[in-house]
């Protein structure tokens, strides 16, 4: 759970940012015993402290949270025709949706959705969180709604569950859960996130995906009040849901 791993920063980095001093000058300040962390003396510049700490410098108390040390995590309802990249010459990037005051150049996508795929996307300035969400070993589940060009065969349910090997892949996909909502609409839960995975799963059973929307990551569901292109900041509890198992 993310809440068990409170974001931390080096003390000298915090003091440097708060005071405008260089890191070397901040280290000297710390060694002189002029810096307290949550009321306790801290004499090591390399000490990593939680970003919810209160720093006291020469009796002046400062909250790191209030000074912008806390990382930002946004839920975005990604529109079609936009790419999950830091830059692209031919297409608009999703971070361009964020207002300039939020410094979109410091934000990055936690994983990618295809240009024509819509729905839940996490955008953040927390590199560690991006790694946690996207690392294959974490096996964080993602739920998609797929609309296909022809009726989904019943056999697809067991095929997805067993694991399908696509002709362009070296290894079979891991077990995926398919629920057929209607003739041409299926809900697919995967835990790998391989290239075009959902689309290729359907290709293996003779269907082409014509619309694809991500609805959930872990236990965090797309906020249905968000229109495509809209975003909002997540709470700490909501970030924890990204790593929570789905309960039926």
């Amino acid at each position: 759970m993310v809440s068990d791993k409170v974001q931390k920063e080096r003390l000298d980095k915090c003091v440097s940012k708060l005071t405008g001093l260089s890191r070397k000058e901040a280290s000297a300040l710390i060694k002189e015993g002029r810096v307290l962390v949550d009321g306790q003396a801290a004499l090591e510049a390399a000490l990593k402290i939680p970003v919810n700490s209160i720093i006291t410098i020469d009796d002046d108390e400062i909250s790191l949270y209030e000074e912008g040390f806390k990382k930002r995590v946004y839920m975005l309802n990604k529109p079609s025709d936009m790419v999950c990249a830091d830059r692209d010459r031919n297409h608009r990037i999703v971070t361009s949706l964020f207002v300039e005051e939020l410094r979109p150049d410091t934000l990055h996508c936690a994983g990618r959705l295809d240009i024509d795929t819509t729905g839940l996307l996490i955008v953040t300035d927390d590199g560690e969180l991006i790694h946690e969400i996207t690392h294959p070993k974490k096996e964080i589940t993602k739920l998609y709604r797929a609309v296909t060009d022809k009726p989904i065969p019943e056999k697809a349910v067991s095929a997805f569950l067993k694991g399908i090997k696509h002709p362009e892949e070296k290894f079979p996909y891991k077990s995926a859960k398919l629920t057929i909502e209607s003739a041409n609409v299926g809900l697919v839960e995967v835990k790998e996130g391989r290239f075009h995975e959902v689309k290729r799963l359907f290709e293996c059973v003779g269907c082409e995906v014509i619309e694809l929307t991500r609805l959930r990551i872990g236990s965090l569901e797309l906020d249905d009040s968000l229109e495509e292109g809209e975003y909002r900041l997540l709470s700490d509890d909501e970030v924890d849901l990204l790593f929570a198992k789905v309960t039926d």
Side-chain angles (χ1 to χ4, degrees):
M1 299 281 285
V2 173
S3 58
D4 294 332
K5 299 180 179 179
V6 177
Q7 180 193 330
K8 294 184 178 181
E9 294 285 358
R10 280 180 56 114
L11 180 56
D12 57 352
K13 179 180 177 181
C14 295
V15 173
S16 175
K17 182 174 179 179
L18 294 172
T19 61
L21 297 173
S22 68
R23 291 280 280 271
K24 183 177 181 179
E25 292 169 329
S27 296
L29 199 68
I30 293 165
K31 291 177 181 178
E32 290 170 8
R34 296 165 60 186
V35 178
L36 304 179
V37 178
D38 293 330
Q40 302 295 316
L43 301 175
E44 297 181 19
L47 177 68
K48 287 203 169 184
I49 62 172
V51 294
N52 55 1
S53 301
I54 300 294
I55 296 287
T56 305
I57 304 175
D58 293 337
D59 298 324
D60 184 16
E61 288 190 355
I62 309 169
S63 166
L64 293 186
Y65 262 173
E66 294 175 359
E67 292 301 316
F69 277 86
K70 181 173 169 56
K71 298 294 187 181
R72 300 167 295 159
V73 186
Y74 295 95
M75 170 191 291
L76 168 69
N77 187 352
K78 178 191 173 295
S80 185
D81 299 322
M82 301 192 79
V83 295
C84 300
D86 291 337
R87 59 186 65 85
D88 192 285
R89 292 183 177 180
N90 302 313
H91 304 96
R92 193 178 176 197
I93 59 177
V94 294
T95 51
S96 67
L97 293 166
F98 290 77
V99 295
E100 286 299 318
E101 289 79 2
L102 295 177
R103 294 188 60 201
D105 59 307
T106 65
L107 297 172
H108 309 279
C109 300
R112 294 172 181 262
L113 290 177
D114 293 341
I115 188 171
D116 57 347
T117 300
T118 61
L120 176 57
L121 182 68
I122 301 302
V123 182
T124 180
D125 56 4
D126 189 340
E128 183 178 348
L129 178 64
I130 292 174
H131 176 76
E132 288 286 311
I133 293 173
T134 58
H135 198 289
K137 289 186 178 180
K138 299 297 180 179
E139 292 193 346
I140 295 173
T141 59
K142 286 94 174 175
L143 179 69
Y144 295 82
R145 176 183 287 117
V147 179
T148 58
D149 64 334
K150 59 185 67 173
I152 303 167
E154 287 291 337
K155 67 178 183 180
V157 176
S158 58
F160 279 32
L161 198 60
K162 182 179 179 180
I164 297 175
K165 183 183 180 302
H166 189 275
E168 296 182 29
E169 294 283 353
K170 290 184 178 180
F171 305 102
Y173 292 111
K174 289 186 177 180
S175 176
K177 181 180 178 181
L178 168 64
T179 302
I180 300 176
E181 276 198 328
S182 61
N184 294 58
V185 180
L187 295 178
V188 186
E189 187 178 276
V190 298
K191 53 186 176 183
E192 288 187 281
R194 284 156 66 177
F195 183 67
H196 293 328
E197 181 173 0
V198 175
K199 294 176 181 178
R200 288 184 168 182
L201 283 170
F202 278 103
E203 284 178 11
C204 289
V205 294
C207 298
E208 179 184 349
V209 174
I210 56 176
E211 290 181 25
L212 188 62
T213 302
R214 184 156 66 191
L215 304 176
R216 190 183 70 224
I217 300 175
S219 289
L220 180 69
E221 296 183 354
L222 177 64
D223 187 337
D224 58 13
S225 70
L226 290 178
E227 299 290 339
E228 288 190 10
E230 293 184 339
Y231 55 87
R232 69 170 177 81
L233 197 64
L234 293 182
S235 67
D236 290 342
D237 287 343
E238 287 177 316
V239 173
D240 281 346
L241 290 176
L242 291 167
F243 303 91
K245 299 294 184 183
V246 178
T247 55
D248 295 326

